């Protein structure tokens, strides 16, 4: 939407004490760059990255922060992927603004060398970046400047995922079932502490969206949501073990260490050894404190 619509929505969110999440990329600029690449005959996967350079994200993050500061709402930046974008979020926080951000597990585990191996299957918006941006995101996580790790789960059909022309492909792939095993593998490799992993995947998201301490904690009165994990178990991630209608993702065949054994929702086991058990029991969740600080 245009900036006027964004500002109006931000002001309404501020009145309600709600957080607004944004996908921060400058669309007119990236569309122009995309058209220039198309006209130049580019159809290869890495052209997607070249159509979305770092400043496309940084400009949009800066604009969202500026509008949120004026409107007075809380702001969450989804799937931050660049050094420049993180620096803008850091500056906003240094001014005391209520701005949070997340990184995608894919932006932490892949760099731009993945385009040659995976082709359009690795396509994300924002794109997989160069190694310098990957390492900057890890540095920001290690120093507490990134609040959570997410997936941007995006299921697509094999026909959509197997396009050879990058402009006919679609951005994103599935990731919900593999997030925790991949995070646990990062713990096993020493990139994260277990406490930090829990904070990134559970506590911080609950705080950001006003659900803490009902969610994101094991305190008395909380919902008794927890996962039992085997930190020593090594296993292969495999497409044929997934439950998505279209189980396509670039992690197929990866060996990881650390495995969820059972998942409990409100004290009742709902997953055992990767398989759902019992009847579905999800409920709609709404923020319990509309003005909780992040």
């Amino acid at each position: 939407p245009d900036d006027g619509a964004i500002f109006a929505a931000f002001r309404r969110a501020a009145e309600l004490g709600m957080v607004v999440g944004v996908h921060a990329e400058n669309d007119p600029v990236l569309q122009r760059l995309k058209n220039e690449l198309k006209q130049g005959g580019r159809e290869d996967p890495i052209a997607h990255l070249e159509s979305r350079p770092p400043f496309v994200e940084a400009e949009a993050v800066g604009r969202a922060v500026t509008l949120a500061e004026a409107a007075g709402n809380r702001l969450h930046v989804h799937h931050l992927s660049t050094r420049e974008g993180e620096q803008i979020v850091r500056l906003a926080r240094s001014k005391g603004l209520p701005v949070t951000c997340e990184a995608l597990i894919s932006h932490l585990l892949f760099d731009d060398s993945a385009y040659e191996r995976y082709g359009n299957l690795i396509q994300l918006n924002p794109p997989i970046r160069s190694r310098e941006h990957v390492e900057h995101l890890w540095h920001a996580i290690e120093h507490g400047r990134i609040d959570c790790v997410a997936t941007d789960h995006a299921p697509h059909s094999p026909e959509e995922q197997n396009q050879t022309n990058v402009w006919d492909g679609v951005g994103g792939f599935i990731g919900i079932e593999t997030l925790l095993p991949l995070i646990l593998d990062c713990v096993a490799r020493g990139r994260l502490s277990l406490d930090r992993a829990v904070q990134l995947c559970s506590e911080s998201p609950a705080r950001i969206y006003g659900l803490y301490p009902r969610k994101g904690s094991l305190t008395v009165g909380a919902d008794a949501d927890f996962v039992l994990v085997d930190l020593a178990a090594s296993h292969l991630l495999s497409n044929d073990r997934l439950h998505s209608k279209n189980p396509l993702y670039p992690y197929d065949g990866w060996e990881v260490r650390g495995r969820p054994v059972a998942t409990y929702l409100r004290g009742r086991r709902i997953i055992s050894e990767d398989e759902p058990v019992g009847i579905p029991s999800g409920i709609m969740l709404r923020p319990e404190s509309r003005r909780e600080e992040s």
Side-chain angles (χ1 to χ4, degrees):
D2 63 60
D3 291 348
I6 293 172
F7 183 60
F10 280 11
R11 285 195 301 187
R12 181 62 177 144
E15 293 171 359
L16 297 172
M18 303 298 287
V19 63
V20 178
V22 293
H23 172 126
E25 289 186 285
N26 184 309
D27 191 60
V29 172
L30 74 84
Q31 293 297 340
R32 175 173 289 272
L33 294 176
K34 182 190 295 187
N35 288 332
E36 290 175 356
L37 288 163
K38 282 184 180 180
Q39 292 167 10
R42 293 286 300 280
E43 297 180 350
D44 54 293
I46 207 165
H48 176 72
L49 169 62
E50 294 179 16
S51 71
R52 297 167 124 95
F55 81 88
V56 167
E57 176 178 281
E59 187 280 333
V61 172
R63 182 156 38 96
V65 167
T66 299
L67 293 173
E69 182 178 15
N73 65 289
R74 294 163 52 217
L75 181 71
H76 181 66
V77 180
H78 291 295
H79 33 63
L80 194 73
S81 69
T82 64
R83 176 188 60 208
E84 293 85 347
E86 191 278 324
Q87 289 170 338
I88 293 170
V89 170
R90 195 189 331 167
L91 177 61
R93 289 173 149 178
S94 73
K95 297 167 61 178
L97 299 180
V99 180
T100 55
C101 64
E102 74 188 29
L104 297 186
I105 187 66
S106 304
H107 284 137
L108 298 172
L109 299 181
F110 293 108
D111 61 30
D112 56 1
S113 65
Y115 289 99
E116 183 175 355
R117 177 177 178 182
Y118 295 101
N120 289 332
L121 181 59
I122 205 68
Q123 186 181 137
L124 286 176
N125 301 324
I128 299 297
R129 303 276 183 195
S130 65
R131 175 53 51 179
E132 66 174 312
H133 292 287
V134 176
E135 290 304 319
H136 185 90
L137 292 178
W138 273 113
H139 185 267
I141 284 176
E142 291 161 4
H143 289 79
R145 302 198 306 265
I146 288 178
D147 300 278
C148 49
V149 174
T151 68
D152 203 26
H153 181 83
H156 297 290
S157 70
E159 292 74 23
E160 291 173 314
Q161 296 280 26
N162 292 331
Q163 295 292 330
T164 56
N165 183 329
V166 67
W167 312 119
D168 294 332
V170 293
F173 43 83
I174 59 178
I176 290 176
E177 286 187 80
T178 52
L179 175 61
L180 187 53
L182 291 168
I183 286 288
L184 293 175
D185 189 61
C186 292
V187 172
R189 291 187 288 111
R191 296 231 67 166
L192 288 172
S193 70
L194 187 59
D195 284 349
R196 183 71 172 123
V198 171
Q199 186 180 47
L200 290 166
C201 293
S202 182
E203 180 183 344
S204 289
R207 288 184 180 277
I208 289 168
Y209 287 100
L211 296 170
Y212 187 86
R214 176 183 174 185
K215 301 294 185 180
S217 79
L218 288 176
T219 56
V220 175
D223 272 358
D225 303 330
F226 57 94
V227 182
L228 302 181
V229 301
D230 184 343
L231 295 176
S234 295
H235 63 112
L236 291 178
L237 300 180
S238 174
N239 286 351
D240 59 15
R241 293 185 62 85
L242 299 179
H243 295 81
S244 174
K245 180 179 178 181
N246 296 305
L248 293 174
Y249 66 161
Y251 306 112
D252 186 42
W254 282 32
E255 183 173 3
V256 295
R257 183 179 175 189
R259 182 176 185 176
V261 174
T263 302
Y264 290 78
L265 174 64
R266 299 191 299 279
R268 189 175 67 83
R269 188 168 60 176
I270 60 170
I271 296 177
S272 180
E273 298 293 344
D274 300 330
E275 293 298 327
V277 295
I279 60 173
S281 56
I283 59 175
M284 176 64 71
L285 295 177
R286 300 183 186 279
E288 295 173 357
S289 175
R290 298 192 303 179
R291 296 190 177 277
E292 179 173 349
E293 293 298 323
S294 62

